[in-house]
Structures are given as structure tokens and as C-alpha cells.
Amino acid sequence: MKGEVTQMNSKVQVPVQRNPSSQRQEAQGGLLDSVMKAVIIIGSGLFVLAAFGNSLTWHLQRFWGASGDFWQNQWTKVHRRWEGHETALFYAGAMFVPFAAFWGSNLLLMLVDYTGMPNFITRYRIQVDKNNPVDPVKLRHAVKTVVLNQLFISAPMVVVCWAVMFSRGNPCGPELPTFHRGLLEMAFCAVLEELLFYYSHRLFHHPALYKHFHKQHHEWTAPIGVVSLYAHPLEHVLSNMLPALIGPVILGSHLVTTTLWYALALVSTTISHCGYHLPFLPSPEFHDYHHLKFNQNFGVLGVLDRLHGTDANFKKTKAFERHTLLLSLTPLTESIPDPPKKVQ
């Protein structure tokens, strides 16, 4: 009996009392360590891109070099036609072209969402039992909010970008940037967007902010394309617009590069929210899972989620296995199906 008591006592673990200040220091150290890892990896990525840029862009550079005169001639015609009206030219390129790209892609997607047809698109729906078809009342409210955000927030912010960029030079200059410079600027903008969006987005998930601001965006647990800009005004400024707009402003990019980046950013976020994992397009599984579970996958590229461990649960799911470029016509929900639900 005494031996049994001794054995039981040996299994009892007494909790160790930890100094609160040491816990805070450990937490701060962990955060600093994650930030340093992010800086090292992102910096290394930029170094590799710069060091091997010639080989990475060789084939594209051949195309650009062969047709460089063609593109420069087209821009020269545009520049001469708008000569003396650079402000209007900037608004046409940096505002209306990206908006047209956004609404062009989203009108097609909304037609599919609203009608539930055609089947050759709806069969690629990620959350199979959702938005089939979409609630029209909910859709109209989302569209109204997005239009208001664009008219009263996005457009004025582009005006501010114009004022800052014109104060430092002329972004509508007669010479196009080289292909290599344009590519590096796009890469810089993508990295900067990842940094700003990840941390601002994660901040809006803080309990003190979430219910007042970000909860509106998460009304859609199964997102659709137009919902990418469905947000509270404050979130639209800090998380939607600022991370995308600031890169060209910092670099003083040419209008052509700025237009391409803004249009790419809007089409990219549309795809991330569209709810369909379509062949030959970037996978939306990453952000779709964020809308489903709320506490995973806060970034755009996934780099900072990997560093901070905010994709740990996602990596254990079938959605992670499906998070790849679809190169066949078979929906990934069929080739990599979810495990059967347990019967209670």
C-alpha cells in the first residue's frame, strides 16, 4: 500500500508558478522572433529575385524586347492624346481601369451566383451546399455597400495618391519603365501588401475590434467575389485599400505599372473570395477557409501565416490538400473529397 502511494505521488506534477514579467518577456520575444523571421525570409526572397532576375524573366524579357517598340508606341499615342490633361489620364488609369476589371469579373460571377448556372462553373464551388443560388437580398446589400465604399472611400484615396505622386514627379511620363523594373516594382508591392494586410487584418480580428468592424465582412461564411470589398469603412481604408495603394506611391511608379498593379490586386482579391476553385486560376481555398473558420489564414500570400503559425489547423484539412493550381477539368471536391461526416 505504501508503495502504491509512493508511485501515485511520483506521478503528481506540481504546477510551476511563472513570473508574469517573464511570461510577457517570452511572449514579446516570440513575437520579435516571428517578425525577424518574416524580415529574413521576405528579404531573402527579394535578394534572390534581384540576383536571378535575368534568368527568371528571360523568356518574358524576350517577348517584351521584341514588342517593346510596339508598347512604347501605343503609350506615346495615349500620352500625346492626353497631353496637358495628366490628372485626367491618371484617374482614367489608376481608378477607372481597375474598377472596370473588378466589376467586369464580378458581374460574370454574380450572374453565376444568382442563377446557379452554368453547371460547368458551379460544379467547382468550394462550399458545395452554400450560395446555390445566392440570397438575392443579401447580394443586393453587399453590392450597395461595395459601391458606396468605392465612391466615397476608394476614389478619394486614389485622388490622394495622385496628389502625393505628382508632388514628387510625373507618373504619366512619356517613357515606359523597363520590363525588369516593372516586374520588381510589382514584386515589392505584393510583399508590402502581404505585410500590411496580414497585420491589419489580424488586428481587426481582435475581440475589441472584431464585433464593431470586421464582423460585417464575415457575415459571409461562404464568400462570393463582390464580397472582397464588402467591409466597414474603417476596415476598407486600413485593410482593403491602404496595403494595395501604398506600394506605387512609395516607389513613384509609372502610371502603367500602377494601373496594372491596382487591377491585378482587385482581380486577385475577387478570385480569393469567389467561392469557385476554377481550373488554371489561383486557388481560393486559402481565404475561403478563413471565412469558414475565422481564426486561420489571415494573409494574402500565406508567408506570414506560415511564420506565425496561423495556418496550422488549415494544413491538417482536405482544403489544404486542395489548395493548389487545378490543371484538370475534374473539381478538386471530387478528386480530394472531404471525409464523411460522423453520424451522431
Side-chain angles (χ1 to χ4, degrees), residues 84-266:
H85 304 282
E86 283 79 9
T87 300
L89 176 59
F90 185 88
Y91 291 157
M95 190 182 300
F96 293 111
V97 171
F99 284 7
F102 176 82
W103 285 109
S105 55
N106 273 290
L107 285 173
L108 292 174
L109 288 168
M110 283 191 290
L111 181 63
V112 177
D113 295 327
Y114 189 79
T115 64
M117 297 185 298
N119 180 64
F120 69 80
I121 293 181
T122 58
R123 66 196 295 256
Y124 295 102
R125 185 179 283 111
I126 296 173
Q127 297 187 44
V128 180
D129 57 339
K130 303 290 180 62
N131 298 327
N132 189 23
V134 69
D135 181 350
V137 175
K138 195 176 178 182
L139 175 61
R140 284 194 295 270
H141 176 65
V143 170
K144 178 182 176 182
T145 301
V146 170
V147 170
L148 291 175
N149 279 345
Q150 289 185 319
L151 288 177
F152 297 106
I153 298 176
S154 299
M157 290 185 72
V158 173
V159 173
V160 173
C161 291
W162 163 82
V164 174
M165 294 175 79
F166 266 87
S167 70
R168 299 166 54 200
N170 182 13
C172 302
E175 294 293 327
L176 287 177
T178 63
F179 175 81
H180 194 75
R181 177 176 175 81
L183 185 65
L184 287 175
E185 288 189 0
M186 298 278 276
F188 174 84
C189 290
V191 171
L192 187 60
E193 183 189 33
E194 170 75 1
L195 285 167
L196 295 179
F197 180 77
Y198 178 89
Y199 291 112
S200 63
H201 184 195
R202 195 168 175 185
L203 178 64
F204 275 114
H205 272 267
H206 188 280
L209 299 176
Y210 178 83
K211 62 181 179 180
H212 299 294
F213 303 107
H214 194 48
K215 186 177 181 179
Q216 176 178 344
H217 184 69
H218 275 283
E219 292 170 4
W220 292 78
T221 55
I224 61 174
V226 75
V227 169
S228 56
L229 299 185
Y230 174 71
H232 185 279
L234 182 63
E235 180 188 353
H236 188 61
V237 171
L238 297 181
S239 277
N240 289 345
M241 296 302 298
L242 188 62
L245 292 182
I246 195 66
V249 176
I250 292 174
L251 297 173
S253 298
H254 191 277
L255 175 61
V256 170
T257 306
T258 302
T259 300
L260 287 174
W261 166 247
Y262 289 172
L264 177 64
L266 284 174

Side-chain angles (χ1 to χ4, degrees), residues 43-114:
S44 300
L46 289 175
F47 175 78
V48 170
L49 181 63
F52 297 98
N54 288 333
S55 59
L56 290 173
T57 62
W58 185 75
H59 291 287
L60 291 174
Q61 184 67 58
R62 286 185 63 194
F63 165 77
W64 190 264
S67 59
D69 290 340
F70 170 79
W71 294 116
Q72 180 61 59
N73 289 339
Q74 302 312 305
W75 172 250
T76 300
K77 293 177 183 178
V78 172
H79 189 267
R80 286 175 179 171
R81 182 174 299 176
W82 293 76
E83 191 171 2
H85 304 282
E86 283 79 9
T87 300
L89 176 59
F90 185 88
Y91 291 157
M95 190 182 300
F96 293 111
V97 171
F99 284 7
F102 176 82
W103 285 109
S105 55
N106 273 290
L107 285 173
L108 292 174
L109 288 168
M110 283 191 290
L111 181 63
V112 177
D113 295 327
Y114 189 79

Side-chain angles (χ1 to χ4, degrees), residues 198 202 286 289 295-299 301-317 320 323:
Y198 178 89
R202 195 168 175 185
F286 187 82
Y289 189 82
N295 62 352
Q296 294 281 294
N297 304 351
F298 295 96
L301 303 176
V303 176
L304 293 175
D305 285 286
R306 180 65 59 88
L307 288 171
H308 291 293
T310 47
D311 63 350
N313 293 338
F314 173 65
K315 289 190 289 186
K316 300 174 184 178
T317 67
F320 176 72
H323 184 46

Side-chain angles (χ1 to χ4, degrees), residues 12-30:
V12 175
Q13 296 182 353
V14 179
V16 178
Q17 297 294 329
R18 303 181 64 184
N19 191 325
S21 62
S22 66
Q23 290 179 343
R24 286 194 298 270
Q25 291 174 356
E26 182 177 337
Q28 292 172 355

